[in-house]
Amino acid sequence: MKANTEKFGVTPNQPSLWTRADALKVRADDPTTTQPLVSADFPVLNNDVFIWDTMPLRDLDGNVTSVDGWSVIFTLTADRHPNDPQYLDEDGNYDILRDWNDRHGRAKMYYWFSRTGKNWEFGGRVMAEGVSPTAREWAGTPILLNDRGEVDLYYTAVTPGATIVKVRGRVVTTEHGVSMVGFEKVKPLFEADGKMYQTEAQNAFWGFRDPWPFRDPNDGKLYMLFEGNVAGERGSHKVGEAEIGDVPPGYEDVGNSRYQTACVGIAVARDADGDDWEMLPPLLTAVGVNDQTERPHFVFQDGKYYLFTISHTFTYGDGVTGPDGVYGFVADSLFGPYVPLNGSGLVLGNPSSQPFQTYSHYVMPNGLVTSFIDSVPTDETGTQNRVGGTEAPTVGMKIKGQQTFVVAEYDYGYIPPMLDVTLK
Ligand code: FRU
């Protein structure tokens, strides 16, 4: 391991720990780290499809990029089935919740475009049916490579297995809209190795997905973040003193939290094109704290590395909890040490009165945070809910040192470009 990484001039890292003590500081409903209430009368982007994870087109430095004045987003997308007998309840009514909950199994990558950074127009599928090698096209990142419009789409090919892959195509613009051409040859990059990152054989509930490639602002090399779990057989992980952290008397019992083993993975490219990758030890682990650190991504600001990742209430371990939302950590150098933002890690959570209102937050370098609407209560008791499957209002956030503050709310799905590229 050491020899390999040194070959690429990379210092092998010690993962930073998100400890149980850190997580004990999580406070839902702190207004500075809580997403404003989403109203149940939200507009729906498109009534034929559900959309969830949203991936703005960007460059390798993280800047959200438009092309010839067109903003472009990619989304995980699945058809809605209002007339499919499979999704009708006993009374013949459409059971949208069941349809929505089944979406992961038929997730496909779609794209949308806009002149205004909102009110997205439907583009279509990025890859034709049959191009992607597995059933599910899960989250990743579209990278605009140059002013010829070349795009590398990194994503996760899931079921069977979970492989980080990439496919190259091109974005083409006209006065009237945007199309994606190419995207015909999917290249497998890597899978979990079982030594640093848990495999399906070690744990049927393993996570290995959501590639986020980037150029390190300091060393200029090409790296990639991804979601993983710490390698080892399910149940074999130890939640020791380091994972527990400095807890008050009476908080030493970790229950069954050894089953929670999330980590933020990192890999370094051996070539300039990003076709050949070497996995490195995780940047951050959450053993004993949480089982999922999804869609990890960076904001590079004030010479610091702001690492963001989304997580759920249901994936926390025994004795610790927090809202669905985005969590963050900051370091002075790429390989850490990372400390939790706001003391706890919580950056933007759902309010406890609407715990599933939004998810899959993506923090952009301009401080705007996009997410999708999951489900919003339509009555006082929270028993009736309206399913979203559409863009949530964008939240504006300030990042200052080791703290973050919610400061603004914008329109649904507002993802303005940070720079525009004129295609040649
Ligand atoms: C986040 C997520 C991603 C995954 C996708 C699957 O919402 O769980 O981690 O790639 O959704 O639908």
Side-chain angles (χ1 to χ4, degrees):
M1 180 73 246
K2 195 158 188 255
N4 273 343
T5 55
E6 277 178 352
K7 205 163 57 193
F8 304 102
V10 169
T11 322
N13 54 301
Q14 273 285 5
S16 300
L17 268 58
W18 186 23
T19 67
R20 290 175 61 86
D22 299 329
L24 284 174
K25 289 181 183 285
V26 171
R27 280 294 165 271
D29 298 320
D30 171 340
T32 67
T33 54
T34 298
Q35 181 145 13
L37 285 172
V38 173
S39 163
D41 63 2
F42 55 80
V44 170
L45 189 56
N46 186 306
N47 277 305
D48 296 328
V49 294
F50 294 123
I51 61 143
W52 61 106
D53 296 8
T54 298
M55 300 156 261
L57 183 68
R58 66 161 175 86
D59 65 16
L60 270 177
D61 304 311
N63 302 301
V64 176
T65 307
S66 58
V67 280
D68 295 335
W70 288 105
S71 286
V72 180
I73 55 172
F74 288 44
T75 60
L76 294 192
T77 305
D79 290 339
R80 297 179 185 234
H81 296 120
N83 303 311
D84 185 336
Q86 200 194 330
Y87 292 108
L88 301 183
D89 65 17
E90 295 121 46
D91 305 323
N93 297 317
Y94 174 38
D95 187 349
I96 186 173
L97 184 61
R98 203 150 47 80
D99 195 11
W100 169 241
N101 287 337
D102 279 358
R103 73 190 185 279
H104 301 286
R106 56 178 198 278
K108 307 289 177 199
M109 199 62 82
Y110 278 64
Y111 71 97
W112 309 73
F113 52 89
S114 158
R115 278 282 186 211
T116 58
K118 55 187 183 182
N119 303 321
W120 298 93
E121 290 179 59
F122 183 81
R125 267 185 87 170
V126 177
M127 286 168 281
E129 182 64 26
V131 168
S132 197
T134 62
R136 309 170 181 208
E137 300 168 13
W138 277 13
T141 309
I143 301 283
L144 180 69
L145 294 171
N146 50 47
D147 60 10
R148 296 190 303 281
E150 284 182 299
V151 172
D152 265 349
L153 172 62
Y154 290 79
Y155 72 99
T156 324
V158 175
T159 313
T163 308
I164 291 180
V165 301
K166 75 185 241 191
V167 56
R168 186 166 292 187
R170 214 154 43 83
V171 53
V172 175
T173 69
T174 68
E175 266 172 69
H176 307 292
V178 169
S179 48
M180 294 291 162
V181 299
F183 299 98
E184 282 160 1
K185 227 180 133 262
V186 176
K187 183 175 177 128
L189 298 179
F190 55 89
E191 294 173 29
D193 60 348
K195 296 192 176 77
M196 294 181 283
Y197 298 99
Q198 197 172 47
T199 58
E200 184 172 15
Q202 293 173 331
N203 175 8
F205 309 102
W206 95 124
F208 194 78
R209 55 180 182 261
D210 303 349
W212 196 87
F214 65 99
R215 182 165 32 223
D216 176 35
N218 286 308
D219 73 15
K221 289 192 169 80
L222 180 58
Y223 293 90
M224 185 198 295
L225 297 178
F226 53 88
E227 171 188 359
N229 288 99
V230 175
E233 293 295 325
R234 179 172 157 80
S236 71
H237 297 77
K238 298 271 173 291
V239 184
E241 268 175 34
E243 288 78 14
I244 294 172
D246 299 315
V247 296
Y251 287 84
E252 301 85 355
D253 183 1
V254 301
N256 282 323
S257 68
R258 67 181 177 284
Y259 294 111
Q260 276 67 42
T261 63
C263 67
V264 172
I266 184 166
V268 60
R270 294 188 180 106
D271 63 330
D273 261 7
D275 288 324
D276 186 12
W277 293 84
E278 160 112 17
M279 279 181 277
L280 303 173
L283 283 189
L284 182 87
T285 62
V287 174
V289 175
N290 203 305
D291 205 35
Q292 292 188 2
T293 45
E294 305 188 285
R295 295 194 69 197
H297 55 283
F298 273 124
V299 167
F300 309 114
Q301 188 190 298
D302 306 327
K304 295 188 192 306
Y305 293 79
Y306 287 93
L307 172 63
F308 295 100
T309 176
I310 54 172
S311 196
H312 290 287
T313 304
F314 84 91
T315 53
Y316 269 98
D318 285 349
V320 279
T321 189
D324 276 28
V326 61
Y327 291 76
F329 304 83
V330 60
D332 291 328
S333 70
L334 175 57
F335 291 102
Y338 284 87
V339 299
L341 289 170
N342 304 316
S344 66
L346 179 60
V347 165
L348 189 65
N350 284 332
S352 54
S353 60
Q354 302 200 155
F356 303 113
Q357 65 170 18
T358 60
Y359 193 58
S360 209
H361 301 74
Y362 183 77
V363 185
M364 295 172 270
N366 53 10
L368 300 195
V369 189
T370 177
S371 61
F372 72 86
I373 299 177
D374 183 337
S375 64
V376 176
T378 53
D379 67 350
E380 289 290 296
T381 59
T383 45
Q384 300 293 319
N385 285 279
R386 181 171 176 221
V387 165
T390 187
E391 297 288 341
T394 295
V395 173
M397 189 171 87
K398 267 215 177 107
I399 306 172
K400 279 190 193 163
Q402 300 192 357
Q403 291 187 303
T404 65
F405 299 87
V406 170
V407 292
E409 193 183 20
Y410 301 95
D411 216 342
Y412 298 89
Y414 181 49
I415 303 173
M418 299 173 58
L419 51 90
D420 184 59
V421 171
T422 304
L423 298 185
K424 296 239 163 81

